[in-house]
Amino acid sequence: MNVIFYIAAIVAILSTIMAISNKNAIHALLYLIVSLLAISIVFFILGAPFIAALEVIIYAGAIMVLFIFVIMMLNIGLEEELEKKWLTPKMWIIPSILAVILLIIFIYALKSFSAQASGHVISPKQVGISLFTTYLIPVEISAILLLAGITGAYHLGKQKKKVIHRFLIKK
Amino acid sequence: MITVSLEIQILFAFLLFLIGLLGLLVRRNIIFMLLSIEVMFNSAGLVFVLASSRWGQTDGEIMFIFILAVAAAEVSVGLALILQMYHHYKTLDADAMNKLKD
């Protein structure tokens, strides 16, 4: 089982790196879907089958489809030359150094921390019972958040007609 | 059952978060910036699930479900904003939106 965890983790990290550094948006999305599937395998191994299913359904299914829709609507692809201009190797240096510093600090902090993994399998039934008893109010709040998200996306996504005063129209 | 120590698992989540942060810092294409934010959301949720698996409590998984809801709302609004931005500026360069500056 440990081998599966390591393989899934390495696949997830490599495909995320590819997703971040790719020039083509659709290819990057496909890499990100691979990464999400690998993370879902990790969830399954950790004993969270319900979360693994949610990860595939909502992240790899719904959110990535939203991204693909927008990329198709914008008709990108002609932007690749621009992307090449933006993505010079020297742009990577300073952020990479900062990230490596953060990583070193984190590993240093982990040294003083030791906890054995004790895998507990949590069934979907337990999650559901806890979700609708203890966490009932947060569920309703997140429903309101999603409603606000829908309304906001609808309002922002509308193509507004430009209203110009008749004296300002150039003839 | 899995016996990988919790340090390695959290290190994995942190690496994912760092990759997302790196992408957010480096890329100027706004779609990729949103994508990097998704990676960071996901790694934060991963830590919650790791903790919930470690202590055998459901709370972490429920937090992951809330993170999922927040991510879905954020992505839908963010993509609508990207559509509007592309409509106004005809580019995906995040630096194009600096009109307040000059």
Side-chain angles (χ1 to χ4, degrees):
Chain A
M1 277 309 235
N2 289 352
V3 179
I4 300 175
F5 173 83
Y6 285 121
I7 292 172
I10 288 167
V11 167
I13 288 172
L14 287 183
S15 59
T16 312
I17 290 172
M18 290 301 290
I20 292 307
S21 60
N22 213 312
K23 289 192 175 72
N24 189 324
I26 292 285
H27 292 176
L29 276 179
L30 291 175
Y31 275 119
L32 196 64
I33 288 174
V34 172
S35 153
L36 292 175
L37 293 179
I39 292 172
S40 146
I41 291 172
V42 171
F43 283 156
F44 193 80
I45 294 174
L46 284 171
F50 183 56
I51 298 298
L54 274 186
E55 174 97 3
V56 174
I57 294 169
I58 296 180
Y59 257 111
I63 294 179
M64 290 302 126
V65 166
L66 262 180
F67 269 102
I68 288 177
F69 264 128
V70 168
I71 289 170
M72 298 282 177
M73 274 174 81
L74 295 183
N75 202 6
I76 306 165
L78 304 170
E79 299 242 334
E80 274 193 56
E81 297 92 45
L82 272 179
E83 198 74 49
K84 262 176 208 151
K85 204 172 65 193
W86 294 343
L87 212 64
T88 51
K90 80 169 194 290
M91 297 225 10
W92 286 93
I93 296 172
I94 294 173
S96 304
I97 292 171
L98 293 177
V100 168
I101 289 172
L102 277 182
L103 183 65
I104 291 167
I105 291 171
F106 188 76
I107 291 173
Y108 182 71
L110 267 183
K111 290 271 186 183
S112 60
F113 167 92
S114 70
Q116 209 55 45
S118 63
H120 297 276
V121 178
I122 297 168
S123 66
K125 189 179 171 187
Q126 281 171 285
V127 177
I129 288 172
S130 183
L131 195 60
F132 288 108
T133 52
T134 321
Y135 289 96
L136 190 58
I137 299 294
V139 168
E140 290 178 359
I141 293 172
S142 69
I144 294 172
L145 175 72
L146 283 176
L147 181 67
I150 292 171
T151 320
Y154 175 72
H155 180 72
L156 288 171
K158 255 190 320 195
Q159 302 279 339
K160 283 188 201 83
K161 230 193 283 177
K162 264 188 190 155
V163 181
I164 302 173
H165 194 272
R166 62 184 188 280
F167 292 157
L168 294 177
I169 297 171
K170 285 173 190 158
K171 280 180 185 166
Chain B
M1 217 45 234
I2 187 168
T3 54
V4 180
S5 69
L6 196 57
E7 303 166 29
I8 306 276
Q9 298 174 2
I10 289 182
L11 191 66
F12 166 53
F14 190 73
L15 271 175
L16 278 180
F17 189 87
L18 272 188
I19 294 167
L21 187 66
L22 193 61
L24 186 65
L25 289 174
V26 170
R27 301 303 296 249
R28 281 166 72 196
N29 190 329
I30 198 155
I31 286 183
F32 281 91
M33 291 170 79
L34 205 58
L35 218 65
S36 311
I37 291 174
E38 283 307 303
V39 173
M40 288 159 74
F41 260 119
N42 208 11
S43 68
L46 181 60
V47 176
F48 273 112
V49 177
L50 292 180
S52 126
S53 148
R54 167 65 183 79
W55 280 281
Q57 301 288 321
T58 53
D59 306 314
E61 303 202 355
I62 283 160
M63 276 303 156
F64 184 81
I65 295 173
F66 291 143
I67 288 174
L68 219 60
V70 171
E74 177 254 347
V75 155
S76 55
V77 174
L79 286 173
L81 281 172
I82 288 178
L83 281 181
Q84 283 298 319
M85 174 194 166
Y86 195 73
H87 188 235
H88 277 281
Y89 295 99
K90 302 287 176 235
T91 178
L92 288 173
D93 189 356
D95 292 350
M97 292 189 293
N98 59 358
K99 281 290 187 295
L100 203 60
K101 208 168 68 181
D102 51 23

